[in-house]
Amino acid sequence: MLAIIIASALLYVMWVFVKPQIKYINYFAYVAWGLQTIICFYSLIDEHGWKLNILNAILMASWLSVLVVLLFKINNIWVKFPLVFFVLISLFMIDTAPTHEHHYDHAFSWQLNLHISLSMLAYSVLSVATLYAVSLWVNIKKIKNSDFNSGNGLISLIDEEKKLTKIIVLGWLILSTSLISGVIFIDDFIQQQIGHKVVFSILAWIIFGSLIIGRMNRGWRGEKLITLTIAGMSMLATGYLGSKIVLEWIIN
């Protein structure tokens, strides 16, 4: 397993730092993602069910986020570099000889498995949207701070805003499905210590929904689009990862 982890990490690093003009550069990421898939199955699932601790959650989110980047053909260093940074952290914090921890293992029904999968996918898609929003902010600053005579910079900016909106809409739809599945399949939010996650997820859903409506009806763009994207993702991160850190690393 250690050899697979090292190989995946090296391929991800090459994907980030090798010149993007080189043909077939994304094949590094395809192979690295395939190796990470093996690692995810080894780390996240066993005969007892899901192993849902904070490190495994980061591993799964990074794995899904790379998939989103590849599907949307995002070749932006401001997206790839921080994403691969978190991938490397998640890979090298894996326990290659894990002891069995019943505290984190859960045999869930297919309904809860579906809810968990949708939640993690929504989190990953919107994480990529946030990184892409940061890259958009960088490009806006570059345009503001430089004199240019053509409209190429603005055309590129408009295209990036359109792609960002598509990613946000996809993430919002998946988040909506996740919330609906939670309402249907989860009986007692308070007893299961996920009431705060529901609150923050709903706040994020409202923010991203408002962003989409504002974009469609009022043409919101630029810094407003970026600010709302980051605010919505902050709600999701606080609700899920923040609560995981408190429950697992501070309280326990």
Side-chain angles (χ1 to χ4, degrees):
M1 182 56 63
L2 181 59
I4 296 177
I5 292 173
I6 293 173
S8 179
L10 288 175
L11 287 168
Y12 274 129
V13 170
M14 292 173 67
W15 177 49
V16 172
F17 290 104
V18 172
K19 292 182 180 180
Q21 292 81 8
I22 294 179
K23 197 175 182 180
Y24 306 125
I25 181 64
N26 281 339
Y27 280 85
F28 290 127
Y30 296 148
V31 178
W33 185 83
L35 294 175
Q36 192 183 0
T37 303
I38 299 172
I39 297 167
C40 283
F41 278 104
Y42 172 83
S43 302
L44 293 170
I45 303 173
D46 63 14
E47 67 274 13
H48 299 280
W50 289 79
K51 295 187 281 187
L52 293 175
N53 57 41
I54 182 66
L55 297 180
N56 284 346
I58 294 174
L59 175 65
M60 185 176 181
S62 67
W63 173 68
L64 289 170
S65 296
V66 172
L67 177 61
V68 174
V69 169
L70 293 175
L71 290 176
F72 278 92
K73 298 180 180 180
I74 299 173
N75 193 24
N76 188 305
I77 191 63
W78 291 97
V79 176
K80 290 163 61 175
F81 182 82
L83 177 56
V84 168
F85 176 76
F86 284 108
V87 170
L88 295 179
I89 290 176
S90 67
L91 287 177
F92 286 106
M93 292 187 75
I94 293 173
D95 187 354
T96 55
T99 57
H100 187 68
E101 297 180 352
H102 294 280
H103 180 70
Y104 296 126
D105 291 8
H106 303 277
F108 291 141
S109 63
W110 70 265
Q111 293 96 332
L112 285 181
N113 283 330
L114 176 62
H115 171 70
I116 292 170
S117 300
L118 288 170
S119 299
M120 292 303 298
L121 183 57
Y123 186 92
S124 302
V125 172
L126 293 171
S127 294
V128 172
T130 304
L131 293 176
Y132 202 69
V134 172
S135 73
L136 182 62
W137 176 80
V138 172
N139 289 336
I140 290 175
K141 291 299 180 182
K142 285 182 179 179
I143 291 176
K144 285 184 176 180
N145 295 332
S146 62
D147 295 323
F148 58 96
N149 297 321
S150 68
N152 292 335
L154 289 176
I155 292 174
S156 175
L157 202 63
I158 292 170
D159 290 338
E160 288 183 2
E161 286 182 345
K162 289 180 179 178
K163 180 175 284 190
L164 174 60
T165 303
K166 289 179 181 178
I167 299 173
I168 291 172
V169 170
L170 175 62
W172 183 81
L173 290 174
I174 298 172
L175 180 61
S176 301
T177 308
S178 170
L179 290 173
I180 293 172
S181 67
V183 170
I184 295 174
F185 299 135
I186 299 178
D187 296 328
D188 194 336
F189 294 106
I190 304 301
Q191 185 177 355
Q192 298 190 45
Q193 295 183 322
I194 58 175
H196 52 284
K197 295 180 185 178
V198 175
V199 172
F200 281 109
S201 295
I202 291 174
L203 289 174
W205 182 83
I206 293 172
I207 292 173
F208 284 117
S210 301
L211 185 157
I212 294 169
I213 293 173
R215 172 75 175 172
M216 294 175 60
N217 294 337
R218 299 188 178 183
W220 286 357
R221 57 183 309 167
E223 293 183 355
K224 179 173 288 188
L225 193 66
I226 295 166
T227 301
L228 287 174
T229 302
I230 295 174
M233 189 61 217
S234 298
M235 294 295 102
L236 278 184
T238 302
Y240 188 75
L241 289 180
S243 63
K244 277 279 187 182
I245 291 172
V246 171
L247 289 173
E248 293 181 18
W249 290 356
I250 298 178
I251 295 178
N252 295 325

